[in-house]
Amino acid sequence: MWNSAIAALRSVTSPKVLYFHHVGNRRNPYYTLKITARALRKLIEYLLNSGFSFISLQDALDSKKLSGNYVCICSDDGFASNYEEAFPVLKELRIPLTMFLPGMCMDNRSFAPNHLFAYLRTQVPDHQLYAELPGLAVKFGLKESESISSTLFSCPQDKRQELLAWFWERFDLIDPALLLSHDKPFLSREQLGQMVNEGVHLALHSHSHADLSRLSYTEIKQEVLDNIRAFEELELPYKPWLALPCGREISDVSMQSLRKELGISRFFGIRSHMGDNLPHKILWQRISIEAKGFDPVLDLQVKPLLRTPKSR
C-alpha cells in the first residue's frame, strides 16, 4: 500500500524536510519525544527503497528544479544523542544532516526554558503542578489550557526564568547548573566541530528557544543576533537559516526585515502543505518524524494534500 501511494503522489510534491530532536532508546528528561536509532534507520531505508533520494538542505534550497522524490533531514536543539545515536546511522547510510541550534544551549552553556519545563514535568506529577497554577496565573501571565504543557508555555518570555525559579524552590529540584555538569545533554564544542568537519551543516534556532511569534521585531532580531554571537564565540560556521522554535511563525514583514538586516535567507515552520518548499518561498515547512504513530504516507503525502496552502 505504501509503495503505490507514494508512487502516485511523488510527482506532485516538493522536497520534504524531516526533523527530529532526540534519538535513542532512553527517554530524554529535557524533551518529551524521541525516535530510536533503529526506527530512524528503518524509516530512511524504507524511503530509499520507495524511490526517494536524500539530499542536503543546502542542495534543496539552492536548486531551482527539485520536486517530488527528494528528502532532507534536520535536527533541532543540539542534543548529545545527535552525535551518539543519530550521526552513526546517518554516516553509514550517507545521509546529509543539518542541525538547528539554540545559542544558549551550545556546548552545554545553559538550558533553554522549554528544556527545564520538560524536566519539571518528569520530576513533579501533573496534578501537583495543576494545584499550584491558580496562585501563579496572575503573577506570571499564565493562560489556562487543557494541557499542563500549554499552560506553562503560555508564560510570557520575560517571565519564564522567574516562573522556573519559583517551581525549583517550591519542589526543591536539582540546580540546573548541576544537571548540565552531570548530564551534559547538549553537543559539546568538540562534537560539533567534528560533525562539521564530516559535512554536517549548522544553522540558527533562536538564542533561548523563544516563541518568536509573541515577541516584537526588536526582540526577535536580538534573539537571532545572540544566536549568531554564540556561533561566533565558539568559532563554528553556520548557515543563515532560522528554524522557528516550536514552528511558531512570524510575520512576512519580520522575515523580510531579518533577511535584509541580518542576511537570514530562509525560515522553517512545521506545518507542511502541498506546494511548500519551493525555491521562491522564504518560508519552508518541516515534518516531525518522532511523533508517535508517524506514517510515511500519511505524514509526508496525505496530510500536506489536505491542508490549505499558505501564500508565502
Side-chain angles (χ1 to χ4, degrees), residues 55-269:
I55 60 173
S56 71
L57 187 55
Q58 179 79 71
D59 287 344
L61 294 174
D62 288 347
S63 175
K64 303 298 182 184
K65 298 181 180 180
L66 283 179
S67 65
N69 58 337
Y70 290 96
V71 181
C72 310
I73 284 193
C74 306
S75 73
D76 287 2
D77 290 14
F79 287 116
S81 64
N82 281 259
Y83 180 85
E84 299 159 351
E85 299 279 354
F87 195 40
V89 173
L90 298 176
K91 279 203 302 182
E92 179 186 339
L93 298 177
R94 299 184 178 181
I95 306 298
L97 174 66
T98 297
M99 299 192 298
F100 291 93
L101 308 176
M104 69 189 306
C105 302
M106 295 169 65
D107 201 32
N108 290 291
R109 293 181 172 188
S110 181
F111 287 106
N114 61 301
H115 302 130
L116 291 179
F117 280 134
Y119 178 79
L120 172 66
R121 294 190 62 202
T122 68
Q123 304 301 303
V124 182
D126 281 358
H127 72 271
Q128 288 186 249
L129 294 175
Y130 271 119
E132 302 291 345
L133 293 180
L136 302 175
V138 174
K139 180 178 181 180
F140 293 104
L142 302 180
K143 297 179 181 179
E144 186 176 352
S145 175
E146 292 183 359
S147 74
I148 187 67
S149 178
S150 296
T151 301
L152 293 174
F153 277 96
S154 71
C155 180
Q157 188 71 23
D158 61 354
K159 294 185 177 181
R160 289 185 177 183
Q161 292 292 357
E162 185 182 356
L163 176 60
L164 285 164
W166 189 94
F167 278 122
W168 249 248
E169 182 177 359
R170 170 67 179 82
F171 295 107
D172 193 25
L173 301 178
I174 299 173
D175 187 326
L178 294 178
L179 291 173
L180 274 173
S181 176
H182 180 269
D183 293 349
K184 293 182 171 53
F186 303 107
L187 291 161
S188 69
R189 168 62 180 82
E190 290 71 25
Q191 290 170 327
L192 288 166
Q194 180 182 337
M195 295 175 82
V196 167
N197 289 338
E198 297 192 48
V200 173
H201 290 161
L202 310 180
L204 307 169
H205 200 32
S206 85
H207 186 64
S208 65
H209 205 282
D211 180 350
L212 302 183
S213 70
R214 300 173 66 186
L215 302 184
S216 68
Y217 176 71
T218 299
E219 292 169 323
I220 294 171
K221 181 178 177 181
Q222 191 60 54
E223 277 282 335
V224 177
L225 285 170
D226 289 343
N227 198 175
I228 291 171
R229 188 174 298 111
F231 277 95
E232 293 173 344
E233 290 173 353
L234 293 173
E235 298 182 333
L236 289 168
Y238 68 92
K239 298 294 182 180
W241 313 324
L242 175 63
L244 300 165
C246 302
R248 302 287 189 177
E249 296 180 12
I250 58 178
S251 69
D252 289 304
V253 172
S254 292
M255 289 191 290
Q256 294 293 348
S257 295
L258 289 172
R259 170 182 274 184
K260 180 179 179 180
E261 297 177 25
L262 301 183
I264 308 303
S265 61
R266 203 78 69 179
F267 300 80
F268 293 87

